[in-house]
Amino acid sequence: MARKQAPPALNADVVGDAMMGLLQARKTLPPKLFYDEAGCRLFEAITTLPEYYVTRTELAILRDIGQSLHDALPPQACLVEYGASSSLKADLVLRQLNHPRAYIPIDIAQDALSIVQAKISAAYPGLAITPICADFLRPVELPEFTHAMPRIGFFPGSTIGNLEPEAASRFLRMTRESLGQDALFLVGVDLRKDAARLLAAYDDAQGITAAFNLNLLTRLNREARSDFALDRFAHRAIWNDSESRIEMHLVSLADQNVRIAGQHVSFAAGETIHTENSYKHSPEAFDRIASLAGWRVVRRWTDPDDLFALNLLAADA
Ligand code: AVJ
């Protein structure tokens, strides 16, 4: 007897997050929805694009500052990484640490997290590794056994740029509480630069960023049983100078109705879904965000072209 294949399971979290954004007057979707399996792969491809200077610049800084990083960080520490989708950057920090004792990678993508765990545990046999699969914007309880260790937070990639300045301060305040007294925090921040360079980085010639943005709709079609027509939306990147951020949008190419989780959402031609902010902070703007959260920037390493800054924060007493 022919059997119908079961439809893919409805993902209640994804439906909830999507509806929350799509029912607003100005439609939005949260950037964490980018990172399903296909989205993680597309993001990996973005990080090696010629136009996307962010990842390669931060990696170059991390490689260049080895000795000063070593000198700035305490021995026997626990490294807590917020958004750990690749092991590359943590490896560059861990190799500068004097007898690191624990590594706690936190990420929303379980598959990526498992790979990170496998790679780091192979490279650092004595290190205690406790991966936590979670949205790092929510408070996370760090494992008991790390409580007596010096804590170093690590938030690379300029992921903090996804957050509006107030939300970035809120996040940093939360991590200050969770990392505790005397903690340090290494935060990667993409710097303000000319608009043409920024726009190219978020609208590359090969269309990988466009595919990454549109994959959100493919994901919703599968996990929220929506019926977005992929050829009726287009990728758009905008430089918003007054807010100092790149915005990614999905533009509706027609008047249309979309069904999602049993509801109808209508789009006018030209209307957009705002899918991501990527703030580009001046050093002063980031100092302020950090200080509002009870952190002080004690060190800032940049590349020769001042594209990117790796900031070392210390918890203010
Ligand atoms: C992972 C949030 C740092 O904002 O540059 C890359 C994501 N979006 N291309 C960024 C992203 C489009 C990226 N972050």
Side-chain angles (χ1 to χ4, degrees):
M1 196 170 83
R3 277 244 203 115
K4 261 209 211 151
Q5 239 195 320
L10 205 63
N11 184 329
D13 290 343
V14 170
V15 172
D17 288 339
M19 290 319 291
M20 182 114 81
L22 292 175
L23 295 174
Q24 314 269 329
R26 306 178 81 130
K27 297 180 175 65
T28 64
L29 285 170
K32 72 173 172 199
L33 291 183
F34 283 131
Y35 302 96
D36 67 351
E37 209 186 313
C40 287
R41 245 191 338 258
L42 286 163
F43 179 68
E44 277 306 303
I46 287 173
T47 63
T48 61
L49 287 171
E51 297 96 331
Y52 195 76
Y53 58 85
V54 178
T55 311
R56 89 172 55 85
T57 306
E58 185 179 37
L59 285 168
I61 294 173
L62 280 167
R63 289 194 183 102
D64 279 0
I65 63 170
Q67 185 64 43
S68 38
L69 200 55
H70 173 89
D71 295 342
L73 302 176
Q76 314 259 340
C78 165
L79 185 70
V80 182
E81 184 173 10
Y82 299 87
S85 60
S86 139
S87 61
L88 218 53
K89 295 171 191 172
D91 184 27
L92 289 169
V93 175
L94 285 166
R95 78 171 63 170
Q96 296 307 335
L97 292 180
N98 209 331
H99 299 291
R101 291 177 61 195
Y103 173 53
I104 317 291
I106 305 168
D107 203 89
I108 192 84
Q110 180 61 61
D111 298 346
L113 210 49
S114 304
I115 295 169
V116 166
Q117 176 176 30
K119 290 198 171 153
I120 296 294
S121 79
Y124 300 87
L127 191 70
I129 308 178
T130 305
I132 301 178
C133 188
D135 177 356
F136 56 69
L137 292 179
R138 306 245 169 123
V140 280
E141 190 85 47
L142 297 175
E144 183 83 39
F145 75 91
T146 67
H147 287 188
M149 303 173 186
R151 305 283 187 75
I152 305 166
F154 186 37
F155 194 29
S158 198
T159 304
I160 198 163
N162 276 175
L163 305 175
E164 296 187 5
E166 309 73 52
S169 281
R170 253 181 279 128
F171 168 76
L172 288 176
R173 179 160 294 284
M174 182 189 78
T175 56
R176 190 187 166 293
E177 262 150 41
S178 128
L179 293 169
Q181 286 271 306
D182 303 321
L184 295 173
F185 201 2
L186 266 177
V187 183
V189 173
D190 196 19
L191 298 171
R192 271 182 72 96
K193 57 187 62 66
D194 70 281
R197 179 151 203 174
L198 286 167
L199 284 167
Y202 290 85
D203 196 5
D204 62 280
Q206 292 169 63
I208 309 290
T209 308
F212 174 70
N213 199 6
L214 283 158
N215 178 59
L216 263 178
L217 303 184
T218 307
R219 179 179 192 180
L220 292 185
N221 284 352
R222 187 181 61 244
E223 293 183 34
R225 304 228 185 102
S226 56
D227 61 357
F228 284 98
L230 264 74
D231 56 356
R232 293 181 140 215
F233 287 87
H235 168 66
R236 182 187 287 164
I238 298 170
W239 169 242
N240 182 334
D241 190 63
S242 61
E243 300 287 344
S244 201
R245 69 191 189 201
I246 285 281
E247 298 176 8
M248 293 211 309
H249 294 259
L250 289 164
V251 191
S252 175
L253 298 176
D255 291 336
Q256 54 184 320
N257 280 301
V258 174
R259 200 174 43 83
I260 170 164
Q263 302 204 47
H264 286 271
V265 179
S266 64
F267 291 86
E271 186 180 354
T272 80
I273 309 172
H274 186 172
T275 54
E276 185 177 54
N277 286 320
S278 196
Y279 280 84
K280 308 303 170 185
H281 296 299
S282 66
E284 299 70 34
F286 183 71
D287 284 348
R288 187 176 148 70
I289 287 168
S291 74
L292 285 172
W295 292 98
R296 206 159 22 87
V297 180
V298 293
R299 197 74 207 262
R300 174 175 289 124
W301 294 280
T302 58
D303 56 292
D305 298 322
D306 276 332
L307 299 176
F308 195 94
L310 189 67
N311 301 273
L312 182 63
L313 280 52
D316 253 343

